[in-house]
Amino acid sequence: MSAFDFSDLTPERILDAIESIGVYPISGLLALNSYENRVYQFLAEDNKRYVVKFYRPERWHTEQILEEHAFSFELLDGEVPIVAPIKRDNTSLFDYQGYRFALFPSVGGRTFEADNYDHLEVLGRFIGRLHNVSKTKPFAVRPSISCQEFLHDATCSLVDSNLITPSLETAFMTVLEQVIALTEEKYQPNNVIRLHGDCHIGNILWTGNELTFVDLDDARQGPAVQDLWMMLSGDEKEQRMQMDTLLCAYDEFSSFDLKELHLIEPLRALRMINYMGWLAKRWKDLAFQRNFSWFASDKYWEQQILSLKEQLAALHEAPLQLLP
């Protein structure tokens, strides 16, 4: 099965897959906002709402998916609110006609507000609790954040895609190579732990009076600051206040090495370049062409040249310092 091909995943096949594990939908399938995988919400005959997730073929191998699931169960055991898959017959990963899938409870909630300092304080405690569990042992089969994958492999995907506007390619590749070289020099973590890996506001919900994390699909090992820096926004003073709020709460449950603050801009560069490579690698998937049509436009590549120049300047600046 192609790494990009969900064309055989018809509504009928989805329903048959769900029913194969003894769950019987009584509603239609509501497609949720996911491009890497295929995710659908439905109401079952037990009057509960569920979410079914079909994993993109060839992205993670089975052992890596099961390790992600095991991590979520471990977090629940540690009283860390996380949406974990549902087990049926003592397993959480199922196979139907070549598609691997998992079933989750459907969880609704309010949006997390990253510009709300009260919210940031709660999130800091939450991530501290998560990391207190994740530090107890490493992943065995899931990878770490690496320059090879996030920079070099991503660049290969970009070049192979032939999507970069020819007249802009020299300018783009010149600044990209500069960013890569400086990022490799500066991204030298002293310690890595198991991470949520993709901690942005879209993966955090208020459910009642409690935060809940969803989607451990990008869980991997890396420095603890990876699960914190995406909450930062605004000018340097605002980012200092935001990080200070996060870490004061985080330290109630887990210790943080302040030396990791110098990894924020290298991690931002890794994410920027990996995101471009991800879009290029997935471009054969028609869902990407429909939803990210701007990726093949001249304007996009002009914007990326400017963004990379700004990131290069940020990499040359002194790392973020906490308030005195």
Side-chain angles (χ1 to χ4, degrees), residues 133-151:
V133 173
S134 67
K135 288 177 180 179
T136 58
K137 63 181 181 181
F139 281 134
V141 292
R142 288 183 81 87
S144 295
I145 295 171
S146 71
C147 290
Q148 179 61 48
E149 180 182 355
F150 281 55
L151 300 179

Side-chain angles (χ1 to χ4, degrees), residues 35 275 278-279 283 287-297:
Y35 302 107
Y275 180 72
W278 174 66
L279 289 174
W283 197 246
F288 279 71
Q289 296 181 30
R290 287 194 301 269
N291 292 283
F292 302 97
S293 58
W294 40 260
F295 183 65
S297 69

Side-chain angles (χ1 to χ4, degrees), residues 209-242:
N209 295 319
E210 188 171 53
L211 283 182
T212 298
F213 261 151
V214 299
D215 194 7
L216 283 172
D217 197 64
D218 288 299
R220 59 175 66 218
Q221 297 200 149
V225 73
Q226 168 64 18
D227 280 346
L228 295 161
W229 73 264
M230 277 184 270
M231 293 298 117
L232 305 182
S233 62
D235 60 26
E236 183 178 0
K237 181 179 178 181
E238 290 173 307
Q239 291 190 32
R240 285 183 177 185
M241 294 175 62
Q242 291 158 358

Side-chain angles (χ1 to χ4, degrees), residues 23-254:
V23 178
Y24 299 94
I26 60 172
S27 71
L29 298 167
L30 175 64
L32 300 183
N33 187 24
S34 176
Y35 302 107
E36 184 64 12
N37 304 296
R38 294 295 185 266
V39 183
Y40 305 90
Q41 183 188 72
F42 64 92
L43 179 68
E45 65 178 5
D46 60 3
N47 287 319
K48 295 180 181 178
R49 292 196 178 275
Y50 296 94
V51 169
V52 62
K53 173 181 176 180
F54 289 84
Y55 290 88
R56 178 174 291 274
E58 298 182 17
R59 179 173 183 238
W60 297 119
H61 59 67
T62 295
E63 290 75 14
Q64 290 172 325
I65 298 173
L66 289 172
E67 189 167 51
E68 171 208 327
H69 291 187
F71 184 35
S72 66
F73 298 137
E74 190 179 342
L75 290 172
L76 283 183
D77 289 342
E79 299 183 348
V80 179
I82 191 87
V83 179
I86 295 169
K87 289 186 177 181
R88 307 283 292 184
D89 297 326
N90 206 35
T91 187
S92 57
L93 184 64
F94 313 99
D95 184 277
Y96 187 79
Q97 296 184 356
Y99 285 103
R100 293 166 302 169
F101 69 99
L103 190 69
F104 297 81
S106 178
V107 176
R110 309 189 314 278
T111 303
F112 177 83
E113 300 170 17
D115 58 351
N116 184 315
Y117 283 88
D118 290 335
H119 285 203
L120 286 177
E121 184 176 355
V122 176
L123 179 63
R125 294 193 188 97
F126 183 89
I127 298 175
R129 291 163 61 192
L130 189 154
H131 287 181
N132 191 47
V133 173
S134 67
K135 288 177 180 179
T136 58
K137 63 181 181 181
F139 281 134
V141 292
R142 288 183 81 87
S144 295
I145 295 171
S146 71
C147 290
Q148 179 61 48
E149 180 182 355
F150 281 55
L151 300 179
H152 298 293
D153 293 351
T155 298
C156 288
S157 295
L158 282 171
V159 172
D160 292 344
S161 72
N162 293 316
L163 291 169
I164 304 170
T165 302
S167 62
L168 300 171
E169 186 170 3
T170 298
F172 174 80
M173 293 303 298
T174 298
V175 67
L176 177 65
E177 289 168 3
Q178 292 173 334
V179 171
I180 287 174
L182 193 52
T183 300
E184 280 194 294
E185 177 185 325
K186 291 181 173 290
Y187 183 67
Q188 302 290 335
N190 293 322
N191 187 44
V192 296
I193 62 172
R194 292 178 294 173
L195 301 169
H196 179 282
D198 195 25
C199 186
H200 58 76
I201 58 174
N203 284 332
I204 308 168
L205 289 175
W206 283 103
T207 56
N209 295 319
E210 188 171 53
L211 283 182
T212 298
F213 261 151
V214 299
D215 194 7
L216 283 172
D217 197 64
D218 288 299
R220 59 175 66 218
Q221 297 200 149
V225 73
Q226 168 64 18
D227 280 346
L228 295 161
W229 73 264
M230 277 184 270
M231 293 298 117
L232 305 182
S233 62
D235 60 26
E236 183 178 0
K237 181 179 178 181
E238 290 173 307
Q239 291 190 32
R240 285 183 177 185
M241 294 175 62
Q242 291 158 358
M243 184 59 80
D244 187 70
T245 301
L246 285 166
L247 290 181
C248 284
Y250 179 98
D251 285 340
E252 294 178 24
F253 294 91
S254 186

